[in-house]
Amino acid sequence: METTVVTSNCTNTRKHSLCPKFTESFKILGKKWNGLILEVLLTNGPSRFKDIAQTIIKCSDRVLVERLKELEQEGLVNRVTHENSSLIEYVLTDKGEALAPVLQAAHAWGDDWISDEECDD
């Protein structure tokens, strides 16, 4: 039995595979800590590295730096330096902001399907 999986607006499909656009989306969103970093920036707005690190306490600084650079390369986050200041902030781009409904859907799914007991501290 042949199966083709197609998501909306995906015109490049292959038999027995997922849409390449869907696959690329999950390469970004499925990487550990990326969803949490995006959530922090969506919730708190522009944030300094130390503030993101204090919110996502289980993520090491080294990994957080890597992930922020990757999200910047993907066009989801901008690293903003302020003139005449040492202040550096990370802010979502329009592309990053467009993920708000995706993260809201993940929250709703978690509320429906994950018990409090299943959550780690």
Side-chain angles (χ1 to χ4, degrees), residues 12-96:
N12 184 12
T13 60
R14 296 178 294 251
K15 299 292 181 190
H16 302 289
S17 67
L18 295 173
C19 169
K21 291 180 180 182
F22 182 81
T23 303
E24 286 302 312
S25 299
F26 268 88
K27 280 184 185 177
I28 299 165
L29 296 176
K31 197 167 225 181
K32 191 168 185 176
W33 307 116
N34 281 357
L36 295 177
I37 294 166
L38 294 168
E39 176 68 12
V40 168
L41 294 173
L42 276 167
T43 302
N44 299 342
S47 299
R48 298 176 77 169
F49 179 89
K50 71 177 185 83
D51 296 325
I52 299 169
Q54 288 173 349
T55 305
I56 308 172
I57 56 175
K58 291 186 178 184
C59 182
S60 72
D61 286 354
R62 181 186 62 79
V63 172
L64 183 55
V65 167
E66 280 179 24
R67 295 300 181 264
L68 285 166
K69 285 180 182 177
E70 291 167 1
L71 291 170
E72 190 175 4
Q73 289 171 345
E74 293 293 343
L76 298 171
V77 172
N78 280 332
R79 182 178 186 267
V80 179
T81 55
H82 295 274
E83 211 172 299
N84 300 322
S85 171
S86 62
L87 178 65
I88 296 171
E89 291 182 306
Y90 293 90
V91 61
L92 290 174
T93 63
D94 290 342
K95 185 177 176 181

